[in-house]
Amino acid sequence: MKIVWISALLLGCLMGFSIGVDMMQGFSFSMALQNAYSPFRVMEFAELFVLFFLLFCFVVEVFYRSFKVKKAKQQQK
């Protein structure tokens, strides 16, 4: 689960940095937010499928590893 939280923290920091730079250039907050999400709006179906498939694989791997660690701890007791 640490990997998920670290990834979310990195995403938040990078999005905040991007929005901050846009706002320093004179954009409004809503325009800066729109600029941060614009790469995802122009994706085609195949690109979105690959993105969500990789995210799904990442989440499944994290939960599998945490389940494996919990199971190993229970067997040690």
Side-chain angles (χ1 to χ4, degrees):
M1 290 303 286
K2 290 180 187 178
I3 296 172
V4 173
W5 290 113
I6 290 171
S7 299
L9 179 67
L10 283 173
L11 176 67
C13 289
L14 290 173
M15 292 289 280
F17 180 73
S18 173
I19 291 170
V21 168
D22 280 351
M23 290 180 70
M24 288 174 57
Q25 291 178 347
F27 292 107
S28 66
F29 179 75
S30 62
M31 183 56 93
L33 193 62
Q34 186 178 3
N35 287 341
Y37 287 113
S38 66
F40 298 106
R41 289 193 311 234
V42 297
M43 286 182 160
E44 293 182 11
F45 177 74
E47 295 169 326
L48 285 171
F49 178 77
V50 169
L51 174 68
F52 286 117
F53 179 72
L54 291 175
L55 287 173
F56 176 74
C57 289
F58 174 71
V59 170
V60 168
E61 180 182 357
V62 167
F63 283 116
Y64 175 72
R65 285 187 183 193
S66 66
F67 175 73
K68 192 175 176 182
V69 167
K70 286 180 184 179
K71 188 175 179 182
K73 285 183 181 179
Q74 287 177 352
Q75 288 179 353
Q76 287 178 350
K77 290 182 179 181

